[in-house]
Amino acid sequence: MASQPSDQHAHPKSDIEIAQAASMRPIMDVAKDKLGIEATDLEPYGHYKAKLSLDYIDSLENHPDGKLILVTAVTPTPAGEGKTTTTVGLGDALNRIGKKAMMCLREPSLGPCFGMKGGAAGGGYAQVVPMEDINLHFTGDFHAIGAANNLLAALIDNHVYWRQNDETGLDNRRITWRRALDMNDRSLRQITTSLGGVANGAPREAGFDITVASEVMAILCLAKDLKDLERRLGNVIIGFTRDRKPVLAREINAQGAMTALLKDAMKPNLVQTLEGNPAFVHGGPFANIAHGCNTLIATKTALKLADYVVTEAGFGADLGAEKFFDIKCRKGGLKPDAAVLVATIRALKMHGGVAKDDLKTENLDALEKGCVNLERHIRNLKRFGVKVVVGINRFSADTPAEMELVRKKCASLGVTAVESDHWAEGGAGAEELARQVVEAAESGESDFKPLYGDNTSLWNKIQTIATDLYGASEIIADKKVRGQIRDLEADYGHFPVCIAKTQYSFSTDPDYKGAPTGHVVPVREVRLSAGAEFLVVICGDIMTMPGLPRVPSANAIHVDDKGRVAGLF
């Protein structure tokens, strides 16, 4: 439990200060008291982290499911709008009002931790702990995913080196599998491998993606069990023959060893909030360049253990929520009961044209103008048949007049908006939001349906997302990309699509704020993820290996005189 100051807004403590001052309970006690899980069904990683055994998960099959709540957000500022913070605060609040609730979050990537955005364990008095462990190495899942990804890359190059590709027909010029590293490193986007002579293999162009964009990450997050994991890994396309026929990972017998590296990573990680409530933190694909949801196995397990499960999907609802609905729910048979749309006054003012340095000044005209972004996200969420509640995540500079304007705007759209101050007050600051969410989830009004059907063509799936959700007039692609999409239709046309684009706009231009209409979405590249079973559609200038900013967060992170991590946020 964390002791709360009288006014976090007036005298704010940093996230890491709050987290390090918290008195955590042994995770075995949290599991037993809150979820009824015995110590024999857990694999401890120290005192405050544990993995849940797959055998125990199998034993829950006949338990009834709880209610599923998605937390998403308006189009964010670069600092984020508090989806994780709201997810944790709402979960704590549900427990405070007498509901058995748990949270399902994604694991943070080292890229943003050392880059610009910082960690992803929540903030203020709505955090999961131990914060430093979760944000850094945690239980090693990301390392395992990177190792499995790069094992496959090594096996591919070895396959070519020993001329075994004479049997599979794999063309060294058409190898598509990329290596992965959980770090922002622009210099690795495009590389040349095997330089230095014949003994080092056949030189070719290659590249790295950040681990959270790897297909191995997506597969882990969508696999139902170890057998399904191995099947999907075997279906990964590693490249093509001269005749442009796909060559699969199972053709070089890679899937068994990859599964061996991932067998422990498949087990959900159990931690606790500052208020001692249970949370799964498992899997971590980005939502701008991947499908942006925690693992399916963690979410489905939580639904067997709790009456209310609160989960989040990355960035704005145009990215994370769309992929949660159209990919994760479709693949996992999930039916969400309500959605919380996190809005912040500062983000809406930004969409109304206010510069970053002026966001702390009251500006009702800009706020009114920026509410078009909120309105479109509400409309989009309603298209999926899910009941929506708006959670206004309070920041210290927000004024009563600004809060009232947003509440009235939401009321005019038929949606309840609730101010929530869980950052400063923990679960107590989100109790009204929790009550509204319970009312929405229990109303029976949600009737979930994906945006498009399985049988819709791949091109029309992309077009539907762009025109119906993004407000675009059309999608465009060059002849080569159109041909690729057309060729994939026969065998993979039933797959959902995963759009990769900027998170800062409905368009592919990060500076195009508000709710733009009539813009064109350029499809630059498509990548078939046959193991994850979706088509990645890369739009605009988005990169699958980010770079560091001019002043990275890493510059402030260090270990203090007491041996504790400092500067992490």
Side-chain angles (χ1 to χ4, degrees):
M1 299 289 288
S3 59
Q4 296 174 24
S6 57
D7 194 344
Q8 168 74 354
H9 288 287
H11 307 286
K13 287 187 176 181
S14 70
D15 294 345
I16 197 165
E17 282 182 287
I18 294 169
Q20 289 179 339
S23 177
M24 292 181 284
R25 298 183 65 202
I27 196 62
M28 299 300 193
D29 293 348
V30 174
K32 174 64 175 175
D33 295 347
K34 296 286 186 175
L35 302 172
I37 301 173
E38 300 292 342
T40 51
D41 295 314
L42 294 165
E43 298 173 11
Y45 281 63
H47 299 296
Y48 307 113
K49 302 167 290 184
K51 281 186 170 290
L52 188 59
S53 82
L54 297 179
D55 287 340
Y56 178 77
I57 291 172
D58 289 342
S59 74
L60 300 173
E61 184 178 359
N62 295 323
H63 287 215
D65 287 340
K67 301 289 186 182
L68 179 60
I69 315 298
L70 172 69
V71 175
T72 183
V74 297
T75 305
T77 65
E81 304 319 305
K83 278 188 314 301
T84 304
T85 306
T86 299
T87 302
V88 175
L90 175 58
D92 282 339
L94 285 166
N95 280 286
R96 286 180 65 91
I97 65 171
K99 306 299 181 182
K100 185 180 181 182
M102 71 179 302
M103 292 128 272
C104 288
L105 305 173
R106 289 172 295 155
E107 299 177 52
S109 163
L110 293 179
C113 282
F114 294 123
M116 180 171 63
K117 192 169 180 285
Y125 286 89
Q127 295 187 58
V128 283
V129 285
M131 180 262 214
E132 312 100 296
D133 292 7
I134 294 168
N135 277 317
L136 298 178
H137 301 290
F138 200 22
T139 58
D141 291 347
F142 279 27
H143 297 300
I145 292 164
N149 185 102
N150 295 334
L151 170 63
L152 178 55
L155 289 171
I156 292 167
D157 286 331
N158 188 62
H159 181 74
V160 173
Y161 180 82
W162 293 106
R163 298 194 62 178
Q164 292 164 338
N165 57 327
D166 290 348
E167 301 167 14
T168 61
L170 178 64
D171 186 347
N172 191 48
R173 302 166 304 172
R174 295 187 171 92
I175 292 171
T176 56
W177 189 252
R178 294 165 62 87
R179 286 171 166 82
L181 180 72
D182 190 38
M183 199 66 64
N184 290 1
D185 192 347
R186 63 173 59 82
S187 64
L188 295 177
R189 288 171 183 161
Q190 291 296 130
I191 63 172
T192 303
T193 63
S194 303
L195 297 179
V198 174
N200 295 340
R204 66 179 178 87
E205 289 189 10
F208 277 75
D209 292 329
I210 192 167
T211 300
V212 287
S214 163
E215 185 178 355
V216 177
M217 173 68 80
I219 287 170
L220 183 90
C221 289
L222 292 169
K224 296 169 185 164
D225 50 37
L226 284 174
K227 284 187 177 180
D228 189 39
L229 176 71
E230 185 168 0
R231 177 189 68 81
R232 288 172 176 271
L233 292 170
N235 286 340
V236 165
I237 293 174
I238 61 174
F240 295 84
T241 67
R242 286 176 177 267
D243 297 330
R244 291 178 171 78
K245 293 180 180 177
V247 180
L248 308 183
R250 65 169 177 261
E251 294 182 58
I252 64 169
N253 200 29
Q255 71 276 16
M258 293 173 73
T259 304
L261 285 173
L262 294 169
K263 71 177 184 67
D264 290 328
M266 266 294 286
K267 301 168 185 174
N269 304 301
L270 182 66
V271 293
Q272 62 192 290
T273 69
L274 290 171
E275 299 186 14
N277 293 311
F280 283 140
V281 180
H282 196 215
F286 284 172
N288 55 348
I289 53 178
H291 78 281
C293 303
N294 73 296
T295 64
L296 182 61
I297 194 170
T299 302
K300 296 193 83 166
T301 300
L303 287 168
K304 301 294 184 184
L305 292 170
D307 296 328
Y308 292 86
V309 174
V310 187
T311 190
E312 50 84 40
F315 294 121
D318 55 321
L319 288 167
E322 184 274 318
K323 294 167 185 179
F324 174 82
F325 293 137
D326 281 326
I327 297 176
K328 183 174 179 176
C329 290
R330 184 191 304 264
K331 295 293 184 183
L334 301 175
K335 292 189 175 181
D337 297 283
V340 176
L341 180 65
V342 177
T344 61
I345 301 298
R346 66 174 188 170
L348 297 178
K349 286 193 291 191
M350 181 191 71
H351 287 291
V354 176
K356 181 180 178 181
D357 292 341
D358 298 326
L359 290 176
K360 293 182 179 180
T361 303
E362 181 177 277
N363 190 327
L364 297 179
D365 290 339
L367 181 60
E368 175 80 35
K369 183 180 177 184
C371 279
V372 296
N373 186 268
L374 173 67
E375 183 174 354
R376 179 175 291 175
H377 282 296
I378 291 172
R379 187 197 73 193
N380 287 350
L381 289 170
K382 286 182 174 181
R383 292 184 69 94
F384 293 95
V386 177
K387 183 84 170 173
V388 181
V389 176
V390 171
I392 308 172
N393 185 23
R394 185 188 166 197
F395 278 69
S396 300
D398 299 343
T399 70
E402 290 173 328
M403 286 285 183
E404 185 61 20
L405 190 155
V406 175
R407 274 194 291 267
K408 286 183 177 178
K409 172 61 71 174
C410 290
S412 72
L413 299 171
V415 171
T416 299
V418 181
E419 179 184 347
S420 190
D421 199 12
H422 40 277
W423 176 80
E425 300 178 16
E431 287 188 17
E432 180 56 28
L433 177 61
R435 282 187 279 270
Q436 291 297 328
V437 167
V438 168
E439 184 178 324
E442 299 292 349
S443 69
E445 294 180 25
S446 290
D447 184 18
F448 168 71
K449 55 185 180 299
L451 187 64
Y452 52 79
D454 291 343
N455 295 327
T456 304
S457 71
L458 292 171
W459 182 265
N460 285 341
K461 287 171 183 172
I462 304 166
Q463 178 120 317
T464 297
I465 294 171
T467 57
D468 290 12
L469 299 188
Y470 301 166
S473 59
E474 62 176 331
I475 58 172
I476 58 171
D478 64 26
K479 184 178 179 181
K480 178 183 176 182
V481 172
R482 283 177 173 266
Q484 288 174 324
I485 294 172
R486 185 174 57 250
D487 292 344
L488 292 170
E489 191 65 50
D491 294 326
Y492 305 103
H494 61 288
F495 279 7
V497 296
C498 180
I499 307 289
K501 74 168 188 70
T502 179
Q503 64 270 32
Y504 298 126
S505 173
F506 278 111
S507 73
T508 56
D509 180 351
D511 295 325
Y512 205 171
K513 304 300 184 185
T517 58
H519 54 95
V520 173
V521 173
V523 178
R524 188 180 89 233
E525 180 185 352
V526 291
R527 298 181 186 176
L528 178 62
S529 294
E533 298 178 356
F534 56 66
L535 180 71
V536 179
V537 181
I538 300 175
C539 301
D541 298 326
I542 194 73
M543 298 290 181
T544 52
M545 168 57 87
L548 291 169
R550 184 181 296 275
V551 182
S553 300
N555 289 4
I557 296 172
H558 60 284
V559 178
D560 66 18
D561 294 339
K562 297 180 180 179
R564 299 187 307 182
V565 173
L568 186 63
F569 69 95

